[in-house]
Amino acid sequence: NLLFGLVLTLGIAAAADAFTFLGNQQRRTVPSLIHQDSPIATKQKVANVRFRLSASPTAQDSDGSPLLLSEDSKLALLSTNRVGGGGYYHRIQHSSESTQTDMVLGLFLPSKYSSNSPETPVLFWLSGLTCDDTNFSQKAGPVAFREAEEQGIALVLPDTSPRGETVADVDSYDLGKGAGFYVDATEPPYSEHYKMRSYVTKELPDLLLREFRGLATTVASDSHKTLLKSISGHSMGGHGALSIAFEEHDQSSWTSVSAFAPIVNPTLCPWGEKAFTAYLGSVDAGKPYDATHLLQSKSTEISNYDDVLIDQGTDDEFLIEQLQPQNLMKAAKTANQKITLNMRDGYDHSYYFIAAFIKDHIRFHAKRLQSRKEKEQQQALLVGTDFATTAGKPITCKAMVARGPKQPLTEETITVQPPKQGEVRVKVIANALCHTDIYTLDGFDPEGLFPCILGHEAGCVVESVGQGVTSVQPGDHVIPCYTPQCGETDCIFCMSPKTNLCPKIRGTQGQGVMPDGTSRFVDSNGESIYHFMGCSTMSEYTVLAEISCAKISKEMALEKACLFGCGVSTGFGAVLNTCNVQHGSSVAVFGLGAVGLAVIQMAKYVGASQIIAVDINPSKFDIAKQLGATHFVNSLDFAPAVEGAKTVQQHIAGELTDWGCDFTFDCTGSTEVMRCALEAAHRGWGESCVIGVAAAGHEISTRPFQLVTGRVWKGTAFGGFKSRRDVPKLVQANIDGQLPIDHFITHRFDGVGGTNDAIDALHAGCCLRAVVRYGPPQ
């Protein structure tokens, strides 16, 4: 992984009757709660350990116990333990309507879980033969919990069968207790309690949805609200996961599916034949529970699974007789269902195998769960929007208006006029606050005009288009770009590979108006409001020039895609385009805001061997290190801040390196830092790139000798990217997992009025990018 490596840590989760931890885990015991001969405690004995619902699993009651369940909850909390990575693992008991027994499940909740915010998606794990709810947590939990914490997802670990004195059982490891096979039994004596399919697919999701309000939700095909969830499992549990996911009525309920060493064709293997005969009366009755048969019976593609991930060990003793993955692969080909089958050399059927690759599976599901959540949140922002009814008409909406320099933005109702020829009107879904907006609001921009509507990093949906517009249409997703690209053959700038500075509308853009010299914004008094950078995205609707609209894939959530509208793209492009940093180069980055961190991320990506991060705030060094920085310099430790000390450039070009860095980047906008960055560049060939925008009237200076001795001073606008051509490529690279940017978003706010809160966050010094979502709170 380009950004974050996870370290394997030791720890053991709760066992049935005592809870002992390895390493530095917290220890907590719950005495006298569980029968010695059963992993299930009676409700009477655990009634006194119920807890109130809390905004966080880390919150505490007066006795120091974690708060989780409401006093009127039908669940009983058996134990709670802090586990690797910072989350909590809970064992929970409840009375099941499906099995008519008490059932116990494990539940891991990441530290970000909050009952006040339904943001946490869920991964169900179904265990194999002889297992109960604890096997996974004990044997794979130390790895799985840490990765689930990193990805921000919950793990649900149900038992493999009903249990209790009245539950039918036989003296066999592959039938009865611990071997429920995830079916609804129809044959006595199993039909009374063995209803594991209904339990896993219906009762348990509904129970979790009702009891844990911080779990994310989605809408199934029948329009009912359900958990946002995926499913995985091992062996018998892999059979359960695949067959549940492939069921016709469950396809919209499960976002993704994976498995370890699954029993893929149980009607043709001894384990399945034995179970189906006992539970269902015949092997043929088990076909609706057979993943291979379910795929074979499909006449059309299972479109909602872009991929199915399966890992199988080559030394698995059950591979040939019981598991038979080749049967599933053949059926998948017929059904046009993509399956990625990884044959892992030397691995067997054990939990050692699961622990080795569980991180891959959690990441597989987390990516798809997050993508589905973002898409549905984005769709929610468009609910009730009918663009056909507004096309060609003025739109009244809310906007944040800058009435003057150094004045707070005011939330006002404005009118946005229809687009004219060559123009596009868009609905702004999300806007990210950039330092350039604040730079103008504070009066430092020589082109700053008031009153105006600021904002230029946004994700938008096209509402209507003006005459002659052909590159976008209503419903398209676009990123407004302050650096346009007309693409006309007579534009020497667009035709040249040397620059991205298309001047087609530069004159009117700098005057705060559209290409025809007029504004599309009118306030409640009928007065015009200036545009800003050709974007003005601090408004629910805005009008753009067509040549400023970069059409992007709808697969990426606009509240993330908006970051490609300015700062992050600029940092990436400064490395890729302006300086063309080579593998093995040394790099110094001055200023660790979003732009500077983007420079570090891309420098690491292209293979820079030494990356020096420079800032006056050492708290930013941690994320810089995660993104690839190798050395860290607090400029307040050097001259001129410390009298008699060396300067930062002397420290870099003399101590951290012999002659300076191959490439240096100023990401501050300070002319003094620009000089420092130049003088830290390598003698003979060093290049220094100015990215930060200086205040009006400021000039840069250095001794000519610095340039005579081979250093090059250059600047970049939008990282040299040709906007309409390159922004869609950046978005696609993110979708493909090559260019992650989630780490830049440190704050989120809802509603246009949240913009002032975003400004406060930016001024607080701990904010990289604050994204304001223009719609109802999510």
Side-chain angles (χ1 to χ4, degrees):
N1 189 299
L2 172 63
L3 297 178
F4 302 107
L6 297 178
V7 181
L8 178 62
T9 61
L10 296 177
I12 300 296
D17 56 354
F19 306 96
T20 305
F21 294 83
L22 297 180
N24 293 321
Q25 306 291 348
Q26 286 185 345
R27 179 177 179 180
R28 183 158 189 253
T29 59
V30 183
S32 303
L33 295 182
I34 304 173
H35 289 309
Q36 293 181 355
D37 60 347
S38 171
I40 301 178
T42 63
K43 285 192 291 183
Q44 290 83 359
K45 288 193 175 186
V46 298
N48 62 336
V49 293
R50 290 187 177 136
F51 294 82
R52 291 187 295 107
L53 189 67
S54 166
S56 168
T58 60
Q60 294 184 331
D61 206 344
S62 57
D63 65 353
S65 302
L67 306 176
L68 188 68
L69 304 177
S70 60
E71 293 179 355
D72 60 350
S73 172
K74 295 182 180 179
L75 307 186
L77 186 62
L78 301 183
S79 64
T80 291
N81 297 101
R82 186 80 178 268
V83 294
Y88 281 82
Y89 167 66
H90 311 277
R91 290 192 74 227
I92 296 169
Q93 182 197 16
H94 71 102
S95 178
S96 169
E97 295 180 1
S98 300
T99 67
Q100 297 298 304
T101 66
D102 284 341
M103 296 293 290
V104 177
L105 65 129
L107 175 64
F108 168 81
L109 293 175
S111 59
K112 66 175 284 186
Y113 173 86
S114 170
S115 61
N116 294 326
S117 180
E119 295 283 341
T120 305
V122 178
L123 173 60
F124 277 59
W125 172 267
L126 306 185
S127 292
L129 292 168
T130 75
C131 294
D132 61 18
D133 64 287
T134 66
N135 291 76
F136 179 86
S137 62
Q138 293 171 358
K139 298 175 181 179
V143 182
F145 293 154
R146 185 170 289 275
E147 184 63 29
E149 167 70 17
E150 182 67 33
Q151 300 295 338
I153 66 173
L155 301 180
V156 175
L157 317 172
D159 203 346
T160 56
S161 75
R163 299 181 191 269
E165 295 179 359
T166 63
V167 176
D169 197 15
V170 294
D171 187 16
S172 176
Y173 80 94
D174 55 358
L175 192 68
K177 293 180 183 179
F181 246 82
Y182 303 103
V183 302
D184 284 344
T186 58
E187 295 296 307
Y190 303 104
S191 56
E192 181 180 0
H193 298 298
Y194 284 76
K195 303 293 184 181
M196 292 302 295
R197 179 57 59 104
S198 293
Y199 176 70
V200 170
T201 63
K202 298 175 183 177
E203 181 179 0
L204 190 51
D206 289 345
L207 181 76
L208 294 168
L209 184 64
R210 184 171 64 250
E211 295 280 354
F212 298 93
R213 286 173 256 173
L215 298 179
T217 61
T218 186
V219 178
S221 57
D222 60 0
S223 300
H224 83 278
K225 187 177 179 182
T226 185
L227 285 179
L228 176 61
K229 60 189 184 297
S230 292
I231 192 166
S232 185
H234 171 236
S235 191
M236 178 185 72
H239 138 74
L242 292 171
S243 60
I244 286 171
F246 290 161
E247 279 187 301
E248 193 74 46
H249 64 274
D250 268 331
Q251 289 176 28
S252 64
S253 296
W254 303 92
T255 300
S256 52
V257 57
S258 73
F260 285 84
I263 305 169
V264 303
N265 203 177
T267 56
L268 293 179
C269 80
W271 280 339
E273 292 170 355
K274 181 177 181 178
F276 291 157
T277 300
Y279 295 142
L280 305 173
S282 70
V283 174
D284 279 350
K287 287 183 177 179
Y289 298 100
D290 184 316
T292 299
H293 177 76
L294 288 169
L295 282 184
Q296 289 172 337
S297 65
K298 302 293 181 184
S299 59
T300 58
E301 181 179 355
I302 302 175
S303 58
N304 63 316
Y305 298 124
D306 65 311
D307 195 5
V308 175
L309 177 62
I310 297 178
D311 275 286
Q312 172 65 61
T314 60
D315 288 4
D316 191 320
E317 61 269 40
F318 305 112
L319 176 59
I320 296 176
E321 183 181 23
Q322 303 282 11
L323 307 182
Q324 308 173 33
Q326 70 278 2
N327 293 357
L328 183 70
M329 297 304 292
K330 183 178 179 180
K333 185 176 181 180
T334 302
N336 294 318
Q337 172 60 57
K338 179 182 178 183
I339 295 180
T340 299
L341 173 62
N342 298 314
M343 298 300 296
R344 302 296 188 178
D345 187 41
Y347 285 92
D348 58 14
H349 199 70
S350 71
Y351 268 91
Y352 294 113
F353 168 50
I354 297 173
F357 300 103
I358 189 63
K359 288 199 295 187
D360 294 340
H361 284 246
I362 290 176
R363 291 172 184 168
F364 173 85
H365 293 293
K367 176 182 177 181
R368 288 158 177 79
L369 287 164
Q370 184 65 23
S371 176
R372 182 171 180 177
K373 182 175 73 170
E374 291 172 349
K375 287 179 181 178
E376 293 190 359
Q377 288 178 339
Q378 194 163 273
Q379 291 168 358
L381 295 176
L382 293 172
V383 170
T385 301
D386 184 0
F387 292 150
T389 64
T390 56
K393 303 175 183 177
I395 291 178
T396 299
C397 67
K398 293 181 179 179
M400 299 304 291
V401 180
R403 286 290 169 182
K406 302 185 185 300
Q407 296 181 23
L409 300 178
T410 59
E411 182 176 346
E412 301 183 20
T413 298
I414 67 165
T415 299
V416 182
Q417 300 295 338
K420 295 186 178 181
Q421 184 170 356
E423 298 175 358
V424 178
R425 188 164 62 184
V426 299
K427 178 178 175 61
V428 182
I429 301 299
N431 182 73
L433 190 64
C434 177
H435 279 278
T436 304
D437 300 316
I438 307 306
Y439 165 84
T440 300
L441 184 60
D442 288 343
F444 297 126
D445 186 351
E447 291 187 349
L449 299 169
F450 299 93
C452 71
I453 297 174
L454 300 170
H456 62 287
E457 279 193 17
C460 309
V461 178
V462 175
E463 176 268 342
S464 61
V465 299
Q467 183 179 353
V469 172
T470 59
S471 62
V472 295
Q473 61 185 2
D476 284 345
H477 289 194
V478 298
I479 301 296
C481 297
Y482 69 90
T483 300
Q485 181 187 1
C486 73
E488 296 177 4
T489 56
D490 61 350
C491 177
I492 61 172
F493 294 88
C494 285
M495 293 299 103
S496 172
K498 298 179 180 180
T499 185
N500 63 336
L501 299 178
C502 173
K504 183 75 172 181
I505 58 174
R506 179 67 187 87
T508 52
Q509 185 170 306
Q511 297 170 12
V513 291
M514 294 301 291
D516 71 345
T518 63
S519 172
R520 301 293 168 268
F521 301 130
V522 179
D523 67 14
S524 58
N525 295 319
E527 300 293 330
S528 291
I529 305 173
Y530 287 112
H531 292 249
F532 175 71
M533 296 180 68
C535 298
S536 291
T537 53
M538 289 185 185
S539 172
E540 291 177 321
Y541 286 85
T542 189
V543 179
L544 313 167
E546 179 186 12
I547 62 174
S548 298
C549 295
K551 179 182 175 181
I552 65 169
S553 169
K554 294 182 180 180
E555 291 185 46
M556 186 176 185
L558 290 171
E559 70 173 75
K560 288 200 305 183
C562 63
L563 268 61
F564 285 120
C566 183
V568 172
S569 295
T570 299
F572 289 162
V575 174
L576 286 174
N577 305 319
T578 308
C579 292
N580 190 23
V581 174
Q582 302 296 308
H583 186 276
S585 299
S586 57
V587 171
V589 181
F590 294 77
L592 302 182
V595 176
L597 291 172
V599 171
I600 290 174
Q601 180 177 337
M602 188 54 67
K604 172 68 174 178
Y605 184 81
V606 300
S609 59
Q610 183 182 28
I611 303 174
I612 302 170
V614 184
D615 203 282
I616 61 174
N617 184 355
S619 67
K620 296 181 178 181
F621 293 161
D622 284 343
I623 187 171
K625 183 177 181 179
Q626 292 172 353
L627 291 173
T630 58
H631 297 76
F632 308 92
V633 177
N634 184 343
S635 53
L636 294 180
D637 294 337
F638 298 89
V642 178
E643 186 177 354
K646 290 184 177 181
T647 63
V648 171
Q649 53 265 50
Q650 289 171 335
H651 176 60
I652 293 175
E655 294 181 348
L656 295 182
T657 67
D658 290 334
W659 294 99
C661 292
D662 299 319
F663 301 94
T664 65
F665 298 86
D666 164 68
C667 308
T668 69
S670 164
T671 54
E672 291 82 2
V673 177
M674 294 174 191
R675 176 173 183 167
C676 180
L678 174 74
E679 295 175 1
H682 201 292
R683 179 185 176 93
W685 62 72
E687 296 184 16
S688 186
C689 181
V690 175
I691 304 177
V693 179
H698 286 216
E699 297 179 350
I700 56 174
S701 64
T702 190
R703 292 184 301 130
F705 184 75
Q706 296 290 337
L707 303 179
V708 170
T709 50
R711 296 170 186 83
V712 175
W713 219 346
K714 57 174 60 176
T716 188
F718 199 51
F721 285 121
K722 291 183 182 291
S723 56
R724 293 205 288 168
R725 181 194 70 187
D726 294 333
V727 168
K729 296 178 181 178
L730 293 172
V731 169
Q732 191 59 49
N734 176 270
I735 294 170
D736 294 339
Q738 301 172 6
L739 205 59
I741 62 170
D742 297 54
H743 47 278
F744 291 107
I745 302 177
T746 55
H747 295 72
R748 287 181 171 87
F749 302 95
D750 289 300
V752 177
T755 303
N756 278 329
D757 295 327
I759 294 174
D760 291 340
L762 195 66
H763 283 313
C766 59
C767 175
L768 295 178
R769 274 298 184 268
V771 173
V772 183
R773 299 178 286 198
Y774 293 178
Q778 298 301 303

